Every structure is written in structure tokens, then in C-alpha cells.
Amino acid sequence: MTKALRFTVLPFMAAAAAFAPQAQAQDASGPGISFELGAAGKISPRYFGASKMVLSPVPLFRLKRLELPNGFTIGGGSDEGFSLSPSIDVIGKRSTKDSPELSGLNTIDTAVELGVKAKYQMGNFRVLGAVRQGLGGHKGVRAELGADIIFKAGEQWTFHGGPRLNFGNSKFTNTYFGVTAAEASTLYPATTASGGLYSAGLEAGVRFQVDDNWAVEAGAGWSRLTGDAATSPITAQGSKDQYTASFGIVRRFDIGF
């Protein structure tokens, strides 16, 4: 996976760097779009409920400002107040080829989740939430709620941390924690997983602003599976405790219309 990460992330960032002069020349005020684009390497469980970890490439995109010629504006200004932005996530493929302990269970293809993220910030405190529709490997809906305490150390360092709650409807939970009658075995009895809260935990991160355009980020998280996700026979072969760690780089682009 490290080799895959290298060949995915490095060309991605090289392309971003090549585009930098054109984007830098644009004015960040008036009609236009401002966004952050980057890539990260993320260590996470191989699948939901797994104890084994895997390193994967993760694309990063954050909409900072969108102003149309008619005056319609999203974002911009300070981080204070309410804001909306796209929310994208990718869940990797689950197969017995990569995880022999899942013998007898169907392969779940890679899923892409598309949705919206909302945030409200007041001083050093913010609350955030996201809801996404799955495409591909699962057709369910997944949502997240969280809150952060934010601490700034000078002009370059920003730290944050707080609780996280993760929800999924029955289509999502049955895909990753359920076992159909056709898949059932002694090790994996037929199981139905109801929707709702499936994990709760903590997340923390740090950002170093290199200059006006480039930033480096790192983060770590822990969550505990709950409800039917925790009692699933799939989780019984792995762990209820799920850990993540990430390191990435982003670049800001300001493009006028």
C-alpha cells in the first residue's frame, strides 16, 4: 500500500504545484472560487470492525469561498459563523483476498460517498456535521456529528480536538456489519444490523501553515463501535476499537471568474 500511496499522492501534488502560478495570479476578491486541494496518507482499519491496519491515499478538497457574478456567496471572510461545503469520502474494497479471515463473506466494492458538510464556529469552539450518500460498494447514508476546541499558537500552528459520533442507516450498517443467509456459516451466523449510532470517539489534529498557500496537516482518532456494529460476528473477529492516523499536505487556490 505504501507503493500505491507514493504513485498516487506524488503525481497529484506535482500537478497541483504545476498549476500554482496560474492560480496565484488570480485575485481572491470578487467573483471567483477559493479552495484547498491536497493529498494525505491515512492509516486506518482495513475494513469496519477490523483490527489490522492499512495505509491508503486520501484526496483532500475543501471549498473556502464561492462567489458568483450575481452576488451569491458561500464562505469567505473569517472562519466565524455558519458555513457549508462539499463532503466526500471513500471506503476501500473489502474482500477475502486481502482479509482471509472473512472467508465466506461477499466482496464489497469500493464505495464513494458524496454529500454536504456544515460547520458553525464561535471563537475557539466549533460544531460540525456531515451527511453523505453512498455510491458503489454501499447505497446507504452515513452521517457524522462532532465538536472541537480550537487552539492557535502564533500565526502558523492550529490545534483542534473533540468528540465524534458516527451514524448510518440500515443499508449502510447491513452492508458492513450484517451477514446474509447465503453468507451464513458457523463463524458468521446470519446477522441483521439496524441503523443508528454505530460508533463514538475522539479526534484531534494539527495544522502548520507554511505560507499563504501551503499547509501541512496531521491527525489521529479513536472510536468505539456500538450497538449492532459492536456485536456483529465480523467485529468479533477483529476489534471494537478503531484507530486512525493521517498526514497530508494541501495548497490553496484562488481563481477569479
Side-chain angles (χ1 to χ4, degrees):
M1 294 304 295
T2 303
K3 183 177 181 181
L5 175 67
R6 183 169 69 249
F7 283 104
T8 301
V9 174
L10 293 184
F12 182 86
M13 295 311 300
F19 185 63
Q22 291 89 338
Q24 220 171 357
Q26 301 291 343
D27 189 351
S29 61
I33 184 172
S34 300
F35 59 92
E36 289 184 341
L37 190 65
K42 185 177 183 180
I43 299 173
S44 60
R46 185 174 288 278
Y47 54 86
F48 290 107
S51 57
K52 296 179 181 179
M53 310 292 281
V54 63
L55 175 63
S56 304
V58 178
L60 301 175
F61 173 78
R62 302 188 190 104
L63 177 65
K64 308 298 289 186
R65 179 187 70 94
L66 174 63
E67 183 176 346
L68 301 180
N70 63 6
F72 176 80
T73 302
I74 297 175
S78 70
D79 289 330
E80 295 286 305
F82 179 78
S83 63
L84 286 173
S85 62
S87 181
I88 305 170
D89 201 5
V90 178
I91 302 174
K93 181 178 180 180
R94 192 187 82 180
S95 69
T96 56
K97 179 181 178 181
D98 296 323
S99 304
E101 69 275 15
L102 299 177
S103 178
L105 299 184
N106 295 332
T107 294
I108 302 175
D109 292 331
T110 299
V112 177
E113 297 180 339
L114 303 177
V116 63
K117 178 179 181 180
K119 180 188 73 172
Y120 181 80
Q121 182 168 326
M122 182 175 60
N124 295 327
F125 177 77
R126 70 183 173 202
V127 292
L128 57 150
V131 60
R132 296 184 298 270
Q133 172 67 54
L135 303 170
H138 83 85
K139 303 297 191 297
V141 176
R142 191 157 64 117
E144 303 162 3
L145 289 176
D148 281 327
I149 296 295
I150 304 166
F151 173 73
K152 292 183 177 290
E155 295 296 322
Q156 293 179 292
W157 291 96
T158 303
F159 301 85
H160 75 268
R164 296 290 188 272
L165 299 175
N166 298 294
F167 302 85
N169 68 0
S170 58
K171 285 187 178 180
F172 171 83
T173 55
N174 272 308
T175 299
Y176 293 101
F177 300 105
V179 179
T180 66
E183 297 173 301
S185 65
T186 303
L187 189 61
Y188 295 108
T191 302
T192 299
S194 59
L197 178 70
Y198 71 86
S199 74
L202 299 170
E203 185 177 297
V206 58
R207 177 182 172 113
F208 179 74
Q209 194 70 40
V210 179
D211 56 28
D212 290 342
N213 294 315
W214 291 93
V216 177
E217 301 177 341
W222 161 83
S223 64
R224 178 82 170 179
L225 295 176
T226 64
D228 289 346
T231 59
S232 168
I234 296 172
T235 303
Q237 304 304 313
S239 175
K240 296 177 184 178
D241 294 301
Q242 307 280 280
Y243 299 93
T244 61
S246 64
F247 180 84
I249 184 169
V250 295
R251 192 193 191 285
R252 181 183 175 103
F253 294 88
D254 297 297
I255 303 172
F257 294 154

